[in-house]
Amino acid sequence: MEAFNHDLANLFSQLGLDNSAESIEHFLQTHQLEQQQKLSEAPFLIPTQQQFIIESQQQDADWCEVIDQLDALLRK
């Protein structure tokens, strides 16, 4: 069995976003979610990114923990 490192940088890479520490910090500073808004409905994500999040959550995939982390970081 292969072990994967599902951290924030790898999630950004999986979503096709720049995963450098500076880019992640900039993303977190310039985007936010409203109180009742789901991450999968975020207007700053493109449809393929939204679909990846939806499918990961539906399948309770290994990505769920880091997706939840990103969700929490986007709530200010």
Side-chain angles (χ1 to χ4, degrees):
M1 183 178 228
E2 199 170 335
F4 293 100
N5 183 14
H6 295 305
D7 60 14
L8 204 53
N10 286 329
L11 177 61
F12 270 65
S13 181
Q14 183 69 25
L15 293 172
L17 300 169
D18 185 342
N19 69 344
S20 68
E22 297 82 18
S23 292
I24 292 171
E25 184 62 32
H26 182 262
F27 185 91
L28 295 174
Q29 293 298 320
T30 58
H31 297 89
Q32 66 182 34
L33 294 173
E34 298 299 324
Q35 184 64 25
Q36 300 300 321
Q37 189 175 35
K38 295 179 182 179
L39 178 58
S40 61
E41 298 170 350
F44 49 82
L45 296 178
I46 62 172
T48 55
Q49 294 166 330
Q50 293 170 332
Q51 190 62 35
F52 172 78
I53 290 168
I54 291 167
E55 289 175 4
S56 295
Q57 291 173 324
Q58 286 174 342
Q59 298 169 7
D60 196 26
D62 292 343
W63 288 107
C64 284
E65 187 174 325
V66 72
I67 288 171
D68 289 345
Q69 178 186 4
L70 177 58
D71 183 278
L73 290 168
L74 290 169
R75 297 187 187 276
K76 300 186 180 187

